[in-house]
Amino acid sequence: QKEVEQNSGPLSVPEGAIASLNCTYSDRGSQSFFWYRQYSGKSPELIMFIYSNGDKEDGRFTAQLNKASQYVSLLIRDSQPSDSATYLCAVPTSGGSYIPTFGRGTSLIVHP
Amino acid sequence: DGGITQSPKYLFRKEGQNVTLSCEQNLNHDAMYWYRQDPGQGLRLIYYSQIVNDFQKGDIAEGYSVSREKKESFPLTVTSAQKNPTAFYLCASSIGTPQGDEQFFGPGTRLTVL
C-alpha cells in the first residue's frame, strides 16, 4: 500500500507570514507530485506540480522536492486569509498506472 | 467551456435503496475517477477507468459499481450493500499519462442516508 502522509493541522499563521506545508511519501518510484487546494465544501483544484528535485516557484507558491528523503513541501509566501483551506498532497504510483494516492490534507488558517 | 459536471449536488437515500451519481466531462480525457471524502479525511479511490468499456477497482470498491460506455460519462451507483454511504463524492478526469498528471474535479455530490 503506497502511503502519503501529511500533518492534519490546523496550521495557523498570521497574515503576511510564510506557511510551510509538508508531505512524505513511501513509493520511491514516484515521478510526479501535486498540490491541490480545497476550500470547505468545494472540490480540490490544482495549485502546483513538480517533477524534478529542487524548487519550483509560481507566484507566491513554491514547491520543494527531495526524492532522496521522499518529501515534498509547499511554501506560501505573504499568506492571505483567502489562502485558508485544506491542502492535499497527491503522489501518483509508479509502475505505469499513474493512479494518485492522496494525503489526508493539512488545514491552513491565515488570521488577520 | 470545458469541464466536469456532477449531478445531483445533494442526494438523499433511504436505507436499502440504490442511487446513481452522474459524472460527465467534455475535456476529451481518457481517464476518469471516483473518490469518496469523509469529514477531515483525504480522498479515497473507489473506481477508475483508463479507457472506454474498462474500469478497475480502487481501494474501497465494495458496495459500489460503475460503467464506462462512453468516453464522456462515468456514472457511479451506490448500492444497498454499501453500509455507510453518507459522504462527499468527487468525480475527476485526467489525460492519463504514465507518470501521472493533473486531475480535474467536478463540483461533487453530497450523499446523505436517511
Side-chain angles (χ1 to χ4, degrees):
Chain A
Q1 179 78 10
K2 309 301 182 183
E3 295 184 348
V4 176
E5 301 286 343
Q6 294 182 258
N7 187 326
S8 62
L11 172 65
S12 182
V13 300
E15 184 174 357
I18 296 175
S20 178
L21 307 164
N22 298 314
C23 171
T24 60
Y25 60 94
S26 64
D27 185 354
R28 285 193 170 275
S30 294
Q31 299 179 44
S32 55
F33 307 85
F34 299 83
W35 283 101
Y36 291 84
R37 177 177 62 199
Q38 185 177 25
Y39 291 112
S40 181
K42 303 297 185 182
S43 57
E45 57 179 341
L46 182 75
I47 53 171
M48 287 287 285
F49 64 90
I50 187 167
Y51 297 135
S52 303
N53 270 335
D55 295 359
K56 179 182 178 183
E57 187 174 317
D58 184 1
R60 295 186 296 113
F61 299 97
T62 298
Q64 299 176 319
L65 175 61
N66 184 324
K67 290 186 177 181
S69 300
Q70 294 176 249
Y71 81 79
V72 56
S73 61
L74 179 69
L75 301 178
I76 306 176
R77 291 183 301 281
D78 188 23
S79 295
Q80 302 296 311
S82 59
D83 295 325
S84 298
T86 296
Y87 290 80
L88 299 167
C89 174
V91 182
T93 57
S94 60
S97 70
Y98 59 74
I99 305 304
T101 298
F102 283 82
R104 291 191 171 192
T106 298
S107 174
L108 172 66
I109 299 172
V110 181
H111 53 88
Chain B
D1 286 339
I4 300 182
T5 58
Q6 290 185 244
S7 63
K9 186 174 182 179
Y10 298 98
L11 185 58
F12 299 91
R13 191 194 91 169
K14 295 181 180 179
E15 287 192 14
Q17 277 185 336
N18 292 352
V19 291
T20 297
L21 283 56
S22 170
C23 177
E24 304 277 333
Q25 56 100 358
N26 61 3
L27 299 168
N28 200 32
H29 285 167
D30 285 319
M32 297 188 73
Y33 315 79
W34 273 105
Y35 295 95
R36 169 181 173 143
Q37 187 174 38
D38 294 282
Q41 302 294 314
L43 306 181
R44 291 188 290 169
L45 183 66
I46 304 173
Y47 269 97
Y48 66 97
S49 170
Q50 298 171 319
I51 196 169
V52 175
N53 292 322
D54 186 54
F55 49 82
Q56 306 296 327
K57 292 182 179 180
D59 299 320
I60 56 165
E62 185 175 352
Y64 300 97
S65 65
V66 294
S67 63
R68 186 86 186 274
E69 297 177 359
K70 298 186 300 182
K71 188 175 185 177
E72 302 79 20
S73 179
F74 192 41
L76 174 74
T77 297
V78 184
T79 74
S80 57
Q82 171 51 237
K83 297 306 179 187
N84 185 24
T86 295
F88 187 43
Y89 289 86
L90 288 160
C91 179
S93 72
S94 72
I95 295 172
T97 55
Q99 70 269 29
D101 48 22
E102 175 184 2
Q103 293 199 326
F104 293 81
F105 287 87
T109 292
R110 197 166 297 277
L111 173 63
T112 302
V113 174
L114 302 174

